[in-house]
Amino acid sequence: KAGVTQTPRYLIKTRGQQVTLSCSPISGHRSVSWYQQTPGQGLQFLFEYFSETQRNKGNFPGRFSGRQFSNSRSEMNVSTLELGDSALYLCASSLGGLSGSFPNEQYFGPGTRLTVT
Amino acid sequence: AQSVAQPEDQVKVAEGNPLTVKCTYSVSGNPYLFWYVQYPNRGLQFLLKYITGDNLVKGSYGFEAEFNKSQTSFHLKKPSALVSDSALYFCAVRDGNKLIFGTGTLLAVQP
């Protein structure tokens, strides 16, 4: 079974531009989560989607948004890029998500390395 | 709020020796705990999780973790370390529909 794929793997953008990152989950997985990884802040949760609905959102400004399509593929968008948005953006998928008495583990993609100059 | 702490930024062990990567947690309610490993320029790979039941959880690549409720710990262990185990290890706790990660421990296995 193919793993989580993310495109593009590397991206260089200029401050003020916007960017869209894509994530294809493992087949059959309906939950997709996004995390930001930086050396200073570590791994931080952005948002989680399940069946095209955002179920949870982290503490990020409104410039960060996402969506999920009917085939469970997900995109995240960052508008008006700032230098501090430079990070590794990780997508994770799981069967049904983490909630409930028997949470499903998340499987991560390789990430998109975003550099803002 | 749920949280985990990884008290060691780096752990060094010799190949063939047992390894332990430490994690302590703070939760309200039942703890749901996870271990992940990250190799350079890669995403995170799932190793194991504790939901309920046996305090010793077995996972991928020969790793296991011991859940200790009285010490609020969830240490990752392996009986015999390999050079290829050198990587960044993250402990995480479930908080609703998301994971809260520790700061990571860099494991260096020396030949």
Side-chain angles (χ1 to χ4, degrees):
Chain A
K1 194 182 263 190
V4 178
T5 58
Q6 292 186 245
T7 56
R9 291 292 311 277
Y10 301 92
L11 207 48
I12 300 175
K13 289 287 188 179
T14 304
R15 194 170 43 184
Q17 288 186 314
Q18 75 161 15
V19 67
T20 299
L21 311 182
S22 182
C23 171
S24 292
I26 293 172
S27 177
H29 285 193
R30 295 170 66 189
S31 168
V32 174
S33 297
W34 290 88
Y35 293 84
Q36 181 196 64
Q37 185 177 23
T38 59
Q41 299 299 316
L43 283 152
Q44 295 188 91
F45 172 78
L46 281 155
F47 25 66
E48 188 243 2
Y49 288 88
F50 182 84
S51 293
E52 302 179 68
T53 300
Q54 185 181 92
R55 291 201 295 193
N56 205 358
K57 191 177 192 305
N59 204 17
F60 279 82
R63 300 185 296 106
F64 291 81
S65 63
R67 58 178 176 168
Q68 186 181 34
F69 302 95
S70 58
N71 61 359
S72 293
R73 192 177 68 84
S74 177
E75 289 181 347
M76 68 163 279
N77 184 78
V78 188
S79 62
T80 320
L81 284 166
E82 300 177 0
L83 295 178
D85 297 333
S86 295
L88 181 66
Y89 289 89
L90 294 165
C91 168
S93 78
S94 69
L95 271 173
L98 290 164
S99 58
S101 299
F102 297 95
N104 303 124
E105 59 271 19
Q106 294 183 329
Y107 292 90
F108 285 77
T112 295
R113 172 77 61 187
L114 173 64
T115 301
V116 182
T117 62
Chain B
Q2 323 288 62
S3 67
V4 289
Q6 295 181 243
E8 299 161 318
D9 290 338
Q10 188 171 12
V11 170
K12 293 182 182 179
V13 298
E15 186 175 29
N17 281 2
L19 69 87
T20 298
V21 182
K22 296 180 180 177
C23 173
T24 58
Y25 65 88
S26 174
V27 302
S28 54
N30 294 323
Y32 297 102
L33 300 160
F34 301 79
W35 274 103
Y36 283 85
V37 60
Q38 185 175 34
Y39 295 96
N41 299 315
R42 302 275 295 276
L44 278 70
Q45 293 181 30
F46 170 75
L47 287 176
L48 51 81
K49 66 181 178 183
Y50 174 81
I51 305 300
T52 186
D54 288 342
N55 290 340
L56 187 64
V57 180
K58 294 192 181 298
S60 306
Y61 314 118
F63 284 94
E64 56 191 27
E66 186 173 7
F67 173 73
N68 188 315
K69 189 173 181 179
S70 63
Q71 297 186 1
T72 61
S73 66
F74 188 55
H75 300 334
L76 182 70
K77 300 183 179 185
K78 188 174 183 182
S80 178
L82 300 172
V83 172
S84 57
D85 292 330
S86 298
L88 187 57
Y89 290 79
F90 290 97
C91 178
V93 64
R94 186 191 79 171
D95 182 11
N97 285 320
K98 66 181 183 289
L99 290 176
I100 304 295
F101 287 90
T103 50
T105 298
L106 186 63
L107 173 66
V109 181
Q110 297 162 328

